[in-house]
Amino acid sequence: MDAAFIGLIIIVLVALAFDYTNGFHDAANAIAVAVSTKALTPRVALALAAVMNLIGAFLSTEVAKTVGAGIIDPPEGSGGLEIVFAALIGAITWNLITWWYGLPSSSSHALIGGLVGAALAAAHSVQWMGVFEKVIIPMIVSPLVGFGLGYLFMLILLWTFRRAHVSKANRNFRYAQIVSSATMALGHGMQDAQKTMGIITLALFTAGEIDTFEVPFWVVVAAAAAISAGTYAGGFRIMRTMGRRIIQLTPTGGFAAQTVASSVMVTTATVFAVPVSTTHITTTSIMGVGSTRRLSAVRWGVAGNIVVAWVVTLPAAAAVAAVAFFITDAVV
């Protein structure tokens, strides 16, 4: 095997490692609310999320094509592989930092920031219009949609079940949360597993192993398995933030937040093929639902720290990726 092929194998393994970290970093998105309302135990919730992540990853590859071919111009040769490798290092590093501090930042934007930072460091072309249309606009719009729909849907549920017996309603909504948690995990698999598929496909295209930007089936299988395994490994630090520190939800509120978030994720993956942040959507859906109680019920200080993490994710991951590229280029 020549050096370029060995480099490709390393990149594939690193990409799958990123997919694994994405799984345990974002596991909270699918299950934190259901666990906090005692609809599911943590391990049962993680197992359910892992299975649904696996299924969701097989349903579409449109987001993978957007990430792999719509953010930077596909690079070529060994220099191109260095860009992809540095992008992954930037994304993984930022994922681990935010996981350690329990901040639900976006793995998607960490990966995209890594791609942009590595490309800029290599003086390679970035598709700025693609970044604006497929990353920046969805990054701004999707949290607003999550908050607004969460608020409205919760109001509808409160009005519809205003005469229901509270304990009976809570019991029924706990059952309903099993379904909404499964749908959340399905949407997470449709969104986040595809981003790794796109990176691996970009590496294969860069190395000349494939002629067109079509995701090979083995890449789908590998990415699906990696994110599923990472999800089952858990993400309890972030789970505490998502499930309790923003606001303590009722089973009705948990169902509302999960239903809204999963609907947005599935729609953006299938209809618009844009890589939105499952973290952003889930968090703002929880905030929207919690705001129906009263605005002060949401711990806005915690929410503010989360928003800061969102804002700095793209440039921070880009900076780490740029440093990783310079080091890799110097060593190789």
Side-chain angles (χ1 to χ4, degrees):
M1 293 188 292
D2 59 16
F5 189 73
I6 293 173
L8 177 61
I9 292 174
I10 292 173
I11 287 173
V12 170
L13 293 176
V14 172
L16 293 176
F18 166 78
D19 206 20
Y20 183 87
T21 67
N22 191 343
F24 75 70
H25 188 278
D26 290 356
N29 292 344
I31 65 172
V33 176
V35 171
S36 72
T37 60
K38 297 181 172 58
L40 294 168
T41 63
R43 279 300 163 193
V44 171
L46 285 169
L48 175 64
V51 171
M52 298 308 293
N53 267 187
L54 189 68
I55 295 172
F58 283 94
L59 296 183
S60 174
T61 58
E62 293 305 311
V63 172
K65 295 175 184 177
T66 298
V67 172
I71 305 301
I72 66 173
D73 290 339
E76 298 178 354
S78 58
L81 291 178
E82 290 178 21
I83 292 175
V84 179
F85 176 77
L88 287 167
I89 295 300
I92 290 173
T93 302
W94 186 247
N95 263 3
L96 292 175
I97 291 172
T98 52
W99 166 80
W100 180 256
Y101 287 103
L103 292 175
S105 67
S106 170
S107 297
S108 309
H109 293 154
L111 182 58
I112 291 166
L115 275 173
V116 171
L120 290 175
H124 186 75
S125 297
V126 176
Q127 297 182 27
W128 290 112
M129 187 56 67
V131 173
F132 180 74
E133 292 179 349
K134 297 181 183 298
V135 180
I136 302 299
I137 291 179
M139 182 177 72
I140 296 171
V141 172
S142 60
L144 296 176
V145 170
F147 184 93
L149 290 181
Y151 185 86
L152 291 175
F153 188 51
M154 186 61 186
L155 286 181
I156 292 171
L157 290 178
L158 290 173
W159 175 257
T160 303
F161 296 97
R162 66 190 184 281
R163 301 188 191 282
H165 191 275
V166 175
S167 61
K168 183 177 180 181
N170 282 339
R171 184 172 63 252
N172 290 335
F173 274 110
R174 282 194 181 97
Y175 293 137
Q177 272 195 277
I178 298 174
V179 178
S180 61
S181 294
T183 309
M184 277 282 296
L186 184 79
H188 181 243
M190 292 178 69
Q191 273 286 346
D192 283 32
Q194 287 196 56
K195 291 146 192 173
T196 298
M197 296 178 203
I199 288 294
I200 294 176
T201 304
L202 175 62
L204 294 171
F205 185 83
T206 299
E209 295 294 325
I210 56 175
D211 297 323
T212 59
F213 204 92
E214 295 294 329
V215 182
F217 182 70
W218 71 265
V219 173
V220 176
V221 174
I227 198 169
S228 180
T231 296
Y232 189 70
F236 291 98
R237 290 175 181 271
I238 295 173
M239 195 185 301
R240 285 193 293 269
T241 300
M242 297 284 282
R244 293 184 181 276
R245 289 182 62 200
I246 296 174
I247 186 171
Q248 180 63 49
L249 293 176
T250 64
T252 308
F255 172 78
Q258 290 179 312
T259 300
V260 167
S262 60
S263 298
V264 175
M265 283 190 283
V266 172
T267 301
T268 51
T270 55
V271 178
F272 300 106
V274 293
V276 299
S277 168
T278 57
T279 305
H280 291 189
I281 295 167
T282 305
T283 306
T284 52
S285 297
I286 293 172
M287 291 178 186
V289 168
S291 295
T292 60
R293 194 179 306 172
R294 63 184 188 281
L295 287 177
S296 60
V298 178
R299 297 184 178 96
W300 294 106
V302 176
N305 292 337
I306 293 170
V307 171
V308 169
W310 292 355
V311 172
V312 302
T313 289
L314 280 170
V320 176
V323 172
F325 175 82
F326 290 131
I327 294 174
T328 303
D329 192 51
V331 172
V332 177

